[in-house]
Amino acid sequence: MTSADLVVIGGGQSGLAAAHLAARRGLRPLVLDASAGPGGSWPAYYDSLTLFSPARFSGLPGMPFPADPDHYPVRDEVVDYLTAYTGALDADIRFGTRAEQVTADDDGGGFVITTATGGMVRAPVVIAASGGFGRPFRPALPGLASFTGRVLHAGEYRSPGGLAGARVVVVGGGNSAVQIAAELARVASVTITTRGPVRFQRQRILGRDFHWWLARTGLDTSRWGPRLVAGTVPVIDDGRYRAALRAGRPDHRPLPQRFDGDRVVWADGTSERVDVVLLATGYRPDLPYLTGTGAVDADGVPPHDAGVSTVLPGLGFVGLERQRSLASATLRGVGRDAAFVLDRLLRRAGRHVAAAR
């Protein structure tokens, strides 16, 4: 059995930020990541994904994003950035190493982490930073379970090529839903369907990017932010997505009554055949290694206070949606959350960290 000052589970943007900040605090972090290499979930996102925050707001602690500050990076640029960040990190990062189970150490001094290959690591502090990409949320829409067409989650979508000419219904009204629906509408017949209207936020206001205003007002980092922006976060738009919906490419409709065989029955009672239902319905925390610890509820959601477990002392989280602010699950927000969580955990577990050395 090996030991570490702390173990970070997940080597994506959240885990890298946590490991970097831990090393700056003089600790020896060990990062366990199930992926074969760096980049976290980013290499598996759809090909055309483009950040809605410019490069100046998209860097992790200690390394600005290497692009024009007003440029909106695409997926592959983010992968390259995270790969470079990983290479510069002063931490023991073990790719291809899946954390299988976390258990509280019997002596009360922390945790034992067992990996899928049978390895064991003891640490006084654990930060769960595995995000949610491994656990797509698939809502129980009426009739969808027996739909005979093709059902995809946005996490499985890559490019529109394989769906050319298809009749597609995209469920969801967030940034990814609208971005994917507008892209697909160039080659397919697409409807985006939501419970309420699609909400838009102008990308630039008075010549400044929206995120500049969020930072300037403090809303981006405020714990009040998630309460003020309830429900689905507005789609950040430079005008092209509103124009696409006005033109009916894609068109927008309320959620359907039900799916029936290979058909969708709309709210007005009309029905039509559909080839593909694409669920752009988000993700849930991916924390299977905490099952049985009491640190997650029956739905796999962790009770926490701003990222610090309210059940297990020494356990923290980084990268949860709206964990502390609107930016918590983003490149621009994980560093702030990681610093906050680390400082709270280390204040409580300082003597155990010292003893582990």
Side-chain angles (χ1 to χ4, degrees), residues 194-214:
T194 59
R195 194 175 304 279
V198 178
R199 301 164 57 208
F200 288 102
Q201 168 60 56
R202 289 170 55 193
Q203 190 163 47
R204 300 190 73 82
I205 303 170
L206 300 176
R208 297 278 192 176
D209 180 85
F210 174 60
H211 295 89
W212 184 90
W213 292 101
L214 286 178

PDB file of all heavy atoms in Angstrom, residues 194-214:
ATOM      1  N   THR A 194     -38.368  21.931 -25.564  1.00  0.00           N
ATOM      2  CA  THR A 194     -38.058  22.291 -24.184  1.00  0.00           C
ATOM      3  C   THR A 194     -39.353  22.488 -23.403  1.00  0.00           C
ATOM      4  O   THR A 194     -40.429  22.686 -23.976  1.00  0.00           O
ATOM      5  CB  THR A 194     -37.244  23.596 -24.116  1.00  0.00           C
ATOM      6  OG1 THR A 194     -38.009  24.644 -24.726  1.00  0.00           O
ATOM      7  CG2 THR A 194     -35.920  23.469 -24.839  1.00  0.00           C
ATOM      8  N   ARG A 195     -39.209  22.464 -22.082  1.00  0.00           N
ATOM      9  CA  ARG A 195     -40.371  22.674 -21.215  1.00  0.00           C
ATOM     10  C   ARG A 195     -40.900  24.109 -21.334  1.00  0.00           C
ATOM     11  O   ARG A 195     -42.100  24.351 -21.285  1.00  0.00           O
ATOM     12  CB  ARG A 195     -39.991  22.367 -19.767  1.00  0.00           C
ATOM     13  CG  ARG A 195     -41.172  22.224 -18.828  1.00  0.00           C
ATOM     14  CD  ARG A 195     -40.708  21.811 -17.441  1.00  0.00           C
ATOM     15  NE  ARG A 195     -39.926  20.587 -17.459  1.00  0.00           N
ATOM     16  CZ  ARG A 195     -40.452  19.366 -17.517  1.00  0.00           C
ATOM     17  NH1 ARG A 195     -41.764  19.209 -17.569  1.00  0.00           N
ATOM     18  NH2 ARG A 195     -39.668  18.301 -17.527  1.00  0.00           N
ATOM     19  N   GLY A 196     -40.001  25.066 -21.458  1.00  0.00           N
ATOM     20  CA  GLY A 196     -40.379  26.474 -21.604  1.00  0.00           C
ATOM     21  C   GLY A 196     -39.651  27.076 -22.782  1.00  0.00           C
ATOM     22  O   GLY A 196     -39.047  26.367 -23.598  1.00  0.00           O
ATOM     23  N   PRO A 197     -39.662  28.381 -22.917  1.00  0.00           N
ATOM     24  CA  PRO A 197     -38.955  29.022 -24.030  1.00  0.00           C
ATOM     25  C   PRO A 197     -37.449  28.883 -23.894  1.00  0.00           C
ATOM     26  O   PRO A 197     -36.919  28.758 -22.782  1.00  0.00           O
ATOM     27  CB  PRO A 197     -39.388  30.492 -23.920  1.00  0.00           C
ATOM     28  CG  PRO A 197     -39.793  30.662 -22.490  1.00  0.00           C
ATOM     29  CD  PRO A 197     -40.372  29.356 -22.051  1.00  0.00           C
ATOM     30  N   VAL A 198     -36.753  28.892 -25.013  1.00  0.00           N
ATOM     31  CA  VAL A 198     -35.285  28.934 -24.994  1.00  0.00           C
ATOM     32  C   VAL A 198     -34.871  30.346 -24.592  1.00  0.00           C
ATOM     33  O   VAL A 198     -35.325  31.330 -25.174  1.00  0.00           O
ATOM     34  CB  VAL A 198     -34.699  28.570 -26.366  1.00  0.00           C
ATOM     35  CG1 VAL A 198     -33.179  28.678 -26.337  1.00  0.00           C
ATOM     36  CG2 VAL A 198     -35.119  27.160 -26.775  1.00  0.00           C
ATOM     37  N   ARG A 199     -34.029  30.429 -23.571  1.00  0.00           N
ATOM     38  CA  ARG A 199     -33.586  31.733 -23.072  1.00  0.00           C
ATOM     39  C   ARG A 199     -32.210  32.059 -23.641  1.00  0.00           C
ATOM     40  O   ARG A 199     -31.325  31.209 -23.664  1.00  0.00           O
ATOM     41  CB  ARG A 199     -33.530  31.709 -21.538  1.00  0.00           C
ATOM     42  CG  ARG A 199     -34.863  31.396 -20.884  1.00  0.00           C
ATOM     43  CD  ARG A 199     -34.681  30.998 -19.429  1.00  0.00           C
ATOM     44  NE  ARG A 199     -33.997  32.031 -18.661  1.00  0.00           N
ATOM     45  CZ  ARG A 199     -33.254  31.796 -17.577  1.00  0.00           C
ATOM     46  NH1 ARG A 199     -33.077  30.557 -17.146  1.00  0.00           N
ATOM     47  NH2 ARG A 199     -32.683  32.786 -16.931  1.00  0.00           N
ATOM     48  N   PHE A 200     -32.029  33.294 -24.065  1.00  0.00           N
ATOM     49  CA  PHE A 200     -30.765  33.708 -24.663  1.00  0.00           C
ATOM     50  C   PHE A 200     -30.124  34.826 -23.846  1.00  0.00           C
ATOM     51  O   PHE A 200     -30.803  35.627 -23.204  1.00  0.00           O
ATOM     52  CB  PHE A 200     -30.989  34.202 -26.098  1.00  0.00           C
ATOM     53  CG  PHE A 200     -31.310  33.108 -27.068  1.00  0.00           C
ATOM     54  CD1 PHE A 200     -32.622  32.898 -27.478  1.00  0.00           C
ATOM     55  CD2 PHE A 200     -30.319  32.297 -27.577  1.00  0.00           C
ATOM     56  CE1 PHE A 200     -32.931  31.895 -28.381  1.00  0.00           C
ATOM     57  CE2 PHE A 200     -30.614  31.283 -28.467  1.00  0.00           C
ATOM     58  CZ  PHE A 200     -31.928  31.082 -28.878  1.00  0.00           C
ATOM     59  N   GLN A 201     -28.794  34.838 -23.898  1.00  0.00           N
ATOM     60  CA  GLN A 201     -28.015  35.908 -23.297  1.00  0.00           C
ATOM     61  C   GLN A 201     -27.045  36.421 -24.355  1.00  0.00           C
ATOM     62  O   GLN A 201     -26.299  35.634 -24.952  1.00  0.00           O
ATOM     63  CB  GLN A 201     -27.243  35.397 -22.085  1.00  0.00           C
ATOM     64  CG  GLN A 201     -26.189  36.343 -21.545  1.00  0.00           C
ATOM     65  CD  GLN A 201     -26.778  37.663 -21.094  1.00  0.00           C
ATOM     66  OE1 GLN A 201     -27.670  37.684 -20.255  1.00  0.00           O
ATOM     67  NE2 GLN A 201     -26.295  38.769 -21.660  1.00  0.00           N
ATOM     68  N   ARG A 202     -27.067  37.726 -24.614  1.00  0.00           N
ATOM     69  CA  ARG A 202     -26.150  38.296 -25.598  1.00  0.00           C
ATOM     70  C   ARG A 202     -24.699  38.036 -25.190  1.00  0.00           C
ATOM     71  O   ARG A 202     -24.316  38.237 -24.041  1.00  0.00           O
ATOM     72  CB  ARG A 202     -26.385  39.794 -25.721  1.00  0.00           C
ATOM     73  CG  ARG A 202     -27.688  40.169 -26.414  1.00  0.00           C
ATOM     74  CD  ARG A 202     -27.958  41.654 -26.279  1.00  0.00           C
ATOM     75  NE  ARG A 202     -26.833  42.451 -26.784  1.00  0.00           N
ATOM     76  CZ  ARG A 202     -26.697  43.749 -26.565  1.00  0.00           C
ATOM     77  NH1 ARG A 202     -27.588  44.399 -25.826  1.00  0.00           N
ATOM     78  NH2 ARG A 202     -25.667  44.412 -27.057  1.00  0.00           N
ATOM     79  N   GLN A 203     -23.902  37.595 -26.153  1.00  0.00           N
ATOM     80  CA  GLN A 203     -22.506  37.276 -25.858  1.00  0.00           C
ATOM     81  C   GLN A 203     -21.679  38.524 -25.567  1.00  0.00           C
ATOM     82  O   GLN A 203     -20.768  38.490 -24.736  1.00  0.00           O
ATOM     83  CB  GLN A 203     -21.881  36.501 -27.021  1.00  0.00           C
ATOM     84  CG  GLN A 203     -20.516  35.922 -26.691  1.00  0.00           C
ATOM     85  CD  GLN A 203     -20.110  34.846 -27.667  1.00  0.00           C
ATOM     86  OE1 GLN A 203     -20.227  35.003 -28.862  1.00  0.00           O
ATOM     87  NE2 GLN A 203     -19.638  33.726 -27.151  1.00  0.00           N
ATOM     88  N   ARG A 204     -22.022  39.638 -26.201  1.00  0.00           N
ATOM     89  CA  ARG A 204     -21.288  40.879 -25.980  1.00  0.00           C
ATOM     90  C   ARG A 204     -22.272  41.992 -25.629  1.00  0.00           C
ATOM     91  O   ARG A 204     -23.314  42.143 -26.261  1.00  0.00           O
ATOM     92  CB  ARG A 204     -20.453  41.260 -27.206  1.00  0.00           C
ATOM     93  CG  ARG A 204     -19.413  40.200 -27.574  1.00  0.00           C
ATOM     94  CD  ARG A 204     -18.451  40.696 -28.631  1.00  0.00           C
ATOM     95  NE  ARG A 204     -17.510  41.668 -28.116  1.00  0.00           N
ATOM     96  CZ  ARG A 204     -16.394  41.366 -27.450  1.00  0.00           C
ATOM     97  NH1 ARG A 204     -16.091  40.098 -27.211  1.00  0.00           N
ATOM     98  NH2 ARG A 204     -15.589  42.315 -27.030  1.00  0.00           N
ATOM     99  N   ILE A 205     -21.917  42.750 -24.602  1.00  0.00           N
ATOM    100  CA  ILE A 205     -22.736  43.855 -24.128  1.00  0.00           C
ATOM    101  C   ILE A 205     -21.853  45.095 -24.074  1.00  0.00           C
ATOM    102  O   ILE A 205     -20.812  45.094 -23.405  1.00  0.00           O
ATOM    103  CB  ILE A 205     -23.315  43.564 -22.729  1.00  0.00           C
ATOM    104  CG1 ILE A 205     -24.136  42.260 -22.740  1.00  0.00           C
ATOM    105  CG2 ILE A 205     -24.161  44.724 -22.227  1.00  0.00           C
ATOM    106  CD1 ILE A 205     -24.522  41.789 -21.349  1.00  0.00           C
ATOM    107  N   LEU A 206     -22.256  46.132 -24.803  1.00  0.00           N
ATOM    108  CA  LEU A 206     -21.482  47.384 -24.850  1.00  0.00           C
ATOM    109  C   LEU A 206     -20.009  47.124 -25.195  1.00  0.00           C
ATOM    110  O   LEU A 206     -19.092  47.701 -24.618  1.00  0.00           O
ATOM    111  CB  LEU A 206     -21.582  48.142 -23.519  1.00  0.00           C
ATOM    112  CG  LEU A 206     -23.004  48.558 -23.100  1.00  0.00           C
ATOM    113  CD1 LEU A 206     -22.970  49.215 -21.726  1.00  0.00           C
ATOM    114  CD2 LEU A 206     -23.614  49.489 -24.144  1.00  0.00           C
ATOM    115  N   GLY A 207     -19.805  46.185 -26.128  1.00  0.00           N
ATOM    116  CA  GLY A 207     -18.464  45.896 -26.613  1.00  0.00           C
ATOM    117  C   GLY A 207     -17.658  44.946 -25.755  1.00  0.00           C
ATOM    118  O   GLY A 207     -16.522  44.611 -26.105  1.00  0.00           O
ATOM    119  N   ARG A 208     -18.221  44.500 -24.640  1.00  0.00           N
ATOM    120  CA  ARG A 208     -17.504  43.586 -23.742  1.00  0.00           C
ATOM    121  C   ARG A 208     -18.183  42.216 -23.728  1.00  0.00           C
ATOM    122  O   ARG A 208     -19.408  42.121 -23.775  1.00  0.00           O
ATOM    123  CB  ARG A 208     -17.520  44.135 -22.312  1.00  0.00           C
ATOM    124  CG  ARG A 208     -16.803  45.465 -22.134  1.00  0.00           C
ATOM    125  CD  ARG A 208     -15.309  45.267 -22.001  1.00  0.00           C
ATOM    126  NE  ARG A 208     -14.641  46.478 -21.552  1.00  0.00           N
ATOM    127  CZ  ARG A 208     -13.349  46.551 -21.281  1.00  0.00           C
ATOM    128  NH1 ARG A 208     -12.586  45.486 -21.419  1.00  0.00           N
ATOM    129  NH2 ARG A 208     -12.813  47.692 -20.876  1.00  0.00           N
ATOM    130  N   ASP A 209     -17.359  41.166 -23.623  1.00  0.00           N
ATOM    131  CA  ASP A 209     -17.915  39.831 -23.491  1.00  0.00           C
ATOM    132  C   ASP A 209     -18.733  39.722 -22.203  1.00  0.00           C
ATOM    133  O   ASP A 209     -18.404  40.323 -21.175  1.00  0.00           O
ATOM    134  CB  ASP A 209     -16.779  38.794 -23.480  1.00  0.00           C
ATOM    135  CG  ASP A 209     -17.302  37.381 -23.348  1.00  0.00           C
ATOM    136  OD1 ASP A 209     -17.662  36.788 -24.372  1.00  0.00           O
ATOM    137  OD2 ASP A 209     -17.382  36.877 -22.206  1.00  0.00           O
ATOM    138  N   PHE A 210     -19.781  38.934 -22.266  1.00  0.00           N
ATOM    139  CA  PHE A 210     -20.668  38.719 -21.117  1.00  0.00           C
ATOM    140  C   PHE A 210     -19.898  38.312 -19.871  1.00  0.00           C
ATOM    141  O   PHE A 210     -20.216  38.733 -18.747  1.00  0.00           O
ATOM    142  CB  PHE A 210     -21.703  37.654 -21.503  1.00  0.00           C
ATOM    143  CG  PHE A 210     -22.600  37.213 -20.398  1.00  0.00           C
ATOM    144  CD1 PHE A 210     -23.420  38.117 -19.736  1.00  0.00           C
ATOM    145  CD2 PHE A 210     -22.643  35.873 -20.024  1.00  0.00           C
ATOM    146  CE1 PHE A 210     -24.266  37.699 -18.718  1.00  0.00           C
ATOM    147  CE2 PHE A 210     -23.488  35.452 -19.017  1.00  0.00           C
ATOM    148  CZ  PHE A 210     -24.298  36.363 -18.359  1.00  0.00           C
ATOM    149  N   HIS A 211     -18.853  37.502 -20.047  1.00  0.00           N
ATOM    150  CA  HIS A 211     -18.089  37.027 -18.892  1.00  0.00           C
ATOM    151  C   HIS A 211     -17.290  38.153 -18.236  1.00  0.00           C
ATOM    152  O   HIS A 211     -16.991  38.084 -17.044  1.00  0.00           O
ATOM    153  CB  HIS A 211     -17.180  35.865 -19.298  1.00  0.00           C
ATOM    154  CG  HIS A 211     -17.954  34.649 -19.719  1.00  0.00           C
ATOM    155  ND1 HIS A 211     -18.357  34.448 -21.010  1.00  0.00           N
ATOM    156  CD2 HIS A 211     -18.427  33.600 -18.991  1.00  0.00           C
ATOM    157  CE1 HIS A 211     -19.035  33.315 -21.081  1.00  0.00           C
ATOM    158  NE2 HIS A 211     -19.087  32.786 -19.883  1.00  0.00           N
ATOM    159  N   TRP A 212     -16.931  39.171 -19.001  1.00  0.00           N
ATOM    160  CA  TRP A 212     -16.291  40.348 -18.406  1.00  0.00           C
ATOM    161  C   TRP A 212     -17.247  40.997 -17.425  1.00  0.00           C
ATOM    162  O   TRP A 212     -16.847  41.396 -16.322  1.00  0.00           O
ATOM    163  CB  TRP A 212     -15.896  41.328 -19.504  1.00  0.00           C
ATOM    164  CG  TRP A 212     -15.142  42.529 -19.021  1.00  0.00           C
ATOM    165  CD1 TRP A 212     -13.792  42.652 -18.905  1.00  0.00           C
ATOM    166  CD2 TRP A 212     -15.691  43.784 -18.581  1.00  0.00           C
ATOM    167  NE1 TRP A 212     -13.456  43.897 -18.421  1.00  0.00           N
ATOM    168  CE2 TRP A 212     -14.608  44.619 -18.217  1.00  0.00           C
ATOM    169  CE3 TRP A 212     -16.989  44.282 -18.464  1.00  0.00           C
ATOM    170  CZ2 TRP A 212     -14.789  45.920 -17.743  1.00  0.00           C
ATOM    171  CZ3 TRP A 212     -17.173  45.578 -17.997  1.00  0.00           C
ATOM    172  CH2 TRP A 212     -16.087  46.385 -17.634  1.00  0.00           C
ATOM    173  N   TRP A 213     -18.507  41.103 -17.804  1.00  0.00           N
ATOM    174  CA  TRP A 213     -19.505  41.699 -16.921  1.00  0.00           C
ATOM    175  C   TRP A 213     -19.762  40.824 -15.699  1.00  0.00           C
ATOM    176  O   TRP A 213     -19.934  41.335 -14.585  1.00  0.00           O
ATOM    177  CB  TRP A 213     -20.804  41.944 -17.690  1.00  0.00           C
ATOM    178  CG  TRP A 213     -20.659  43.006 -18.734  1.00  0.00           C
ATOM    179  CD1 TRP A 213     -20.500  42.827 -20.072  1.00  0.00           C
ATOM    180  CD2 TRP A 213     -20.628  44.417 -18.519  1.00  0.00           C
ATOM    181  NE1 TRP A 213     -20.368  44.026 -20.720  1.00  0.00           N
ATOM    182  CE2 TRP A 213     -20.454  45.027 -19.792  1.00  0.00           C
ATOM    183  CE3 TRP A 213     -20.738  45.228 -17.387  1.00  0.00           C
ATOM    184  CZ2 TRP A 213     -20.392  46.417 -19.946  1.00  0.00           C
ATOM    185  CZ3 TRP A 213     -20.674  46.608 -17.549  1.00  0.00           C
ATOM    186  CH2 TRP A 213     -20.509  47.178 -18.808  1.00  0.00           C
ATOM    187  N   LEU A 214     -19.788  39.505 -15.908  1.00  0.00           N
ATOM    188  CA  LEU A 214     -19.956  38.605 -14.761  1.00  0.00           C
ATOM    189  C   LEU A 214     -18.824  38.794 -13.753  1.00  0.00           C
ATOM    190  O   LEU A 214     -19.054  38.846 -12.539  1.00  0.00           O
ATOM    191  CB  LEU A 214     -19.984  37.139 -15.220  1.00  0.00           C
ATOM    192  CG  LEU A 214     -21.242  36.643 -15.919  1.00  0.00           C
ATOM    193  CD1 LEU A 214     -21.050  35.191 -16.343  1.00  0.00           C
ATOM    194  CD2 LEU A 214     -22.468  36.777 -15.021  1.00  0.00           C
TER     195      LEU A 214
END
